[in-house]
Amino acid sequence: MSHSPLSSSIADLRKSYERAELSEDASHADPLQQFDQWLREAIAAQVPEPNAMTVATVGSDLRPSTRVVLIKGYDARGIVWYTNYDSRKGRQLAGNPYAALQFHWVELERVVRIEGVVEKVSDEESDTYFHSRPLDSRIGAWASPQSQVIPSRGVLVANAAKYGAQFLLKPPRPPHWGGFRLRPDQWEFWQGRKSRLHDRLRYRLEDGAWERERLAP
């Protein structure tokens, strides 16, 4: 029995986008307010992991890489997430602080893209968040040499047992673990529409003010 190549069936996939619209009149002048509204709506709609975002960075070899992390805070200063500073993304950001974020709320037919410069959050912010995490996550931050090659999962289990015995219920924040904050200079909000005539609004920071403009889909 013959089967057609998977690539053929993928190419034939189609979706009609008809859930909502995004207009200049019905959007906020401040992109942070627009993001806040959309994130709250994604949470209210109970979409899977509405706080998940893709982080794209570029290494010294000019090769881009992506990974999914969880947003842990946002305000006028920027978008915050936490990680191991010695990880691949941490090392890439140390050499090139420019990054891009993307949220994709499939059920709402919405995408948000954010670009800007990344900096480390303060030690106080990292300490506060670290100590709010569950104990096993705090131990895990010590146990995992993130992005390094390890011979087996047994290394992680052994490390977790070692640091659990060492720190008991009060592991301190590892010096190599903490937060990053992306300070946006560009946002894009994408809303799926019928006939592939999607809505795209871009916000660019110009002389300290946000310039809003529509892009062709």
Side-chain angles (χ1 to χ4, degrees):
M1 181 177 180
S2 61
H3 296 276
S4 60
L6 178 60
S7 59
S8 298
S9 59
I10 290 176
D12 290 337
L13 291 175
R14 295 288 184 273
K15 179 178 179 180
S16 179
Y17 297 89
E18 302 179 4
R19 293 187 62 92
E21 64 180 49
L22 178 64
S23 68
E24 291 83 345
D25 294 335
S27 61
H28 294 281
D30 183 340
L32 184 64
Q33 293 182 24
Q34 185 64 37
F35 173 73
D36 179 70
Q37 177 185 326
W38 273 19
L39 178 57
R40 289 177 184 275
E41 289 175 357
I43 294 171
Q46 298 184 323
V47 304
E49 295 199 275
N51 55 337
M53 62 183 185
T54 298
V55 177
T57 56
V58 177
S60 58
D61 57 1
L62 302 184
R63 293 174 65 104
S65 63
T66 64
R67 71 287 291 160
V68 176
V69 302
L70 301 179
I71 183 175
K72 291 301 179 180
Y74 61 97
D75 56 25
R77 296 172 297 170
I79 309 294
V80 173
W81 71 97
Y82 290 86
T83 189
N84 186 317
Y85 289 141
D86 293 334
S87 65
R88 185 183 185 191
K89 58 183 171 297
R91 288 183 280 107
Q92 289 182 335
L93 287 169
N96 176 15
Y98 292 94
L101 311 176
Q102 177 170 290
F103 292 83
H104 187 193
W105 299 307
V106 179
E107 292 78 5
L108 300 180
E109 301 172 351
R110 289 174 173 173
V111 174
V112 179
R113 299 170 58 203
I114 313 165
E115 299 177 18
V117 177
V118 177
E119 61 191 13
K120 290 181 178 179
V121 307
S122 69
D123 287 342
E124 291 76 16
E125 288 177 87
S126 290
D127 286 339
T128 297
Y129 176 68
F130 182 80
H131 292 297
S132 75
R133 306 177 84 209
L135 177 60
D136 58 353
S137 295
R138 284 178 278 153
I139 293 296
W142 284 95
S144 175
Q146 194 173 106
S147 300
Q148 296 182 28
V149 175
I150 57 175
S152 70
R153 182 175 176 81
V155 172
L156 301 178
V157 175
N159 283 350
K162 179 182 72 173
Y163 287 113
Q166 178 179 342
F167 296 128
L168 300 177
L169 298 179
K170 295 184 178 181
R173 178 175 65 89
H176 57 264
W177 190 98
F180 280 119
R181 174 180 287 108
L182 182 139
R183 294 189 284 108
D185 55 30
Q186 182 167 293
W187 298 71
E188 183 183 322
F189 296 85
W190 182 98
Q191 176 69 64
R193 298 294 300 274
K194 290 184 64 175
S195 304
R196 293 301 184 268
L197 300 180
H198 308 306
D199 290 327
R200 293 176 63 190
L201 293 185
R202 180 175 65 185
Y203 296 74
R204 290 184 297 110
L205 194 58
E206 294 285 343
D207 299 323
W210 289 105
E211 196 72 33
R212 180 177 48 186
E213 51 202 356
R214 177 173 288 268
L215 302 180

